[in-house]
Amino acid sequence: LFYVVALEEYMQETGDKEALNDLYEIAMEQIDIGLSYFKDGIIQQEAVDHTFVDWSEGVDKAACATAEMIYTLRFGILLASRKCDLVRMNQLMSTLEEMINVAYDTYYDEERHVFVSNGQINIMSQVWMILAKVIDKEEAQLVLSNTPYINDYKMNTPYMHHYYVEALFKVGLKEKAIDHMNTYWGSMIDQGADTFYEAWNPDDINASPYGGKAIN
């Protein structure tokens, strides 16, 4: 799915129409493949099982995978607009609206201001639903302030932590974002890192999902 995101971000920086012409249909194909794993806006378990979110054991990924699809649709709409592909753009906009409504109804707990993925509350679901803009900015600030609810499942990769930081910036929590950058990436520097690690848990510096710290 992030092929679509990467192409649109590349276009924003370069305006490379030749690349867009060459790669547009491939990008749209990725969206079609992703959507094939949804029925009435609900993701199939097969797709959930094959979705990578973070090296965090036990995390339920249904909400994350759904949000990643919504997130990608937004970038696909921008690509379709660049190509003046109005038919595709309207289709994607209709699908986006439907999926946002289903995601909100399925995963969002309005009383606690938190996303719940098959009964589980984890930080990854909050981050991805916010980046997908399933809720507005003010509500998203409440979600990211709800840390007592979302500390059970830790993020263990700079990959996931950088999406968390992006979400903080998106909702206007700049100071919290910068503090997290200093704390998390700074902890690697404190341990003598000369490049940022593939996986990193400051509370357990020897932890590795790859079978050895050196591979991190």
Side-chain angles (χ1 to χ4, degrees):
L1 291 178
F2 294 158
Y3 184 95
V4 180
V5 177
L7 180 57
E8 170 55 25
E9 289 182 337
Y10 173 76
M11 290 303 303
Q12 291 173 13
E13 295 298 323
T14 68
D16 185 349
K17 293 183 179 180
E18 184 178 358
L20 179 63
N21 290 334
D22 287 345
L23 304 177
Y24 177 73
E25 292 300 334
I26 299 172
M28 293 300 109
E29 184 181 0
Q30 309 320 303
I31 291 176
D32 291 340
I33 292 169
L35 290 174
S36 72
Y37 289 101
F38 286 81
K39 183 176 181 180
D40 298 326
I42 301 295
I43 192 168
Q44 299 175 23
Q45 190 60 41
E46 178 187 358
V48 175
D49 292 341
H50 288 90
T51 298
F52 178 80
V53 175
D54 187 58
W55 289 118
S56 186
E57 189 173 349
V59 168
D60 188 272
K61 300 179 289 186
C64 291
T66 300
E68 288 179 359
M69 186 75 245
I70 295 170
Y71 178 81
T72 300
L73 283 170
R74 293 188 180 280
F75 284 83
I77 290 167
L78 294 174
L79 285 174
S81 176
R82 289 183 186 278
K83 283 286 289 182
C84 299
D85 186 351
L86 298 182
V87 173
R88 168 70 78 158
M89 186 175 71
N90 288 332
Q91 288 173 343
L92 294 180
M93 290 175 67
S94 176
T95 301
L96 174 67
E97 183 178 2
E98 176 188 352
M99 290 195 67
I100 288 173
N101 290 335
V102 172
Y104 186 91
D105 292 341
T106 303
Y107 299 109
Y108 196 56
D109 185 327
E110 293 180 336
E111 291 185 4
R112 291 186 289 175
H113 303 288
V114 71
F115 288 94
V116 184
S117 186
N118 289 325
Q120 182 189 103
I121 299 170
N122 61 66
I123 184 64
M124 297 77 158
S125 297
Q126 320 312 312
V127 168
W128 275 113
M129 284 292 179
I130 287 168
L131 291 176
K133 299 180 182 178
V134 173
I135 52 178
D136 63 28
K137 182 176 178 179
E138 289 71 23
E139 191 74 8
Q141 286 181 345
L142 289 175
V143 169
L144 288 178
S145 298
N146 257 341
T147 49
Y149 286 130
I150 53 181
N151 280 336
D152 290 342
Y153 297 89
K154 302 288 187 181
M155 300 176 288
N156 290 315
T157 61
Y159 167 79
M160 189 62 227
H161 276 268
H162 103 269
Y163 282 119
Y164 172 62
V165 169
E166 182 178 354
L168 290 171
F169 276 119
K170 292 281 188 186
V171 303
L173 297 175
K174 181 180 178 180
E175 289 185 7
K176 190 170 183 175
I178 293 173
D179 181 64
H180 189 76
M181 289 166 64
N182 288 332
T183 301
Y184 183 69
W185 280 268
S187 69
M188 298 184 216
I189 296 171
D190 291 341
Q191 291 294 322
D194 55 12
T195 186
F196 293 130
Y197 301 133
E198 171 76 13
W200 176 247
N201 180 355
D203 298 323
D204 184 1
I205 63 175
N206 292 310
S208 174
Y210 309 116
K213 178 182 175 182
I215 305 175
N216 288 354

